[in-house]
Amino acid sequence: QVQLVESGGGLVQPGGSLRLSCAPSGSIFSTNAMGWYRQAPGKEREFVASIIRDGFTFYTDSVKGRFTISRDTAKNTVYLQMNSLKPEDTAVYYCNIDTLWGQGTQVTVSS
């Protein structure tokens, strides 16, 4: 089966930046919608950002102005540039392309 492979997570200090990437391991049926979700310990998984096929983007209020979602249609890759990171951004981040989900990548923001 086709899988989504995520990378780019890690440990960063408050105010720092990380760039997450997600790409399928093979051909996929559709890339109409791509997005990122995150789940912190003890919390429900929440929407972070999405980009639809026409290029329009959406963000949850807590990341607006700090995070940017983008895509490379030729590579079927979706990115999440995260700037001005805060401790409350600490979570496992999951990418989503239509019905497919990545395995999750840990982002930890701490001094």
Side-chain angles (χ1 to χ4, degrees), residues 10-98:
L11 174 64
V12 65
Q13 295 184 359
S17 298
L18 286 173
R19 184 180 186 240
L20 306 183
S21 300
C22 175
S25 61
S27 298
I28 59 177
F29 176 75
S30 176
T31 57
N32 287 343
M34 297 177 168
W36 291 92
Y37 291 72
R38 67 187 181 188
Q39 187 167 22
K43 297 289 190 69
E44 297 291 322
R45 184 175 298 187
E46 67 171 343
F47 168 79
V48 176
S50 67
I51 184 167
I52 60 177
R53 63 180 178 181
D54 290 336
F56 294 103
T57 58
F58 304 88
Y59 301 91
T60 191
D61 286 344
S62 63
V63 308
K64 287 181 179 177
R66 300 189 298 119
F67 291 10
T68 302
I69 187 171
S70 62
R71 67 182 181 185
D72 184 331
T73 56
K75 298 178 180 180
N76 289 327
T77 301
V78 62
Y79 306 93
L80 185 67
Q81 178 67 45
M82 304 183 293
N83 299 325
S84 302
L85 283 162
K86 304 174 181 179
E88 50 263 45
D89 294 318
T90 296
V92 176
Y93 284 70
Y94 299 89
C95 69
N96 167 247
I97 301 179
D98 286 331

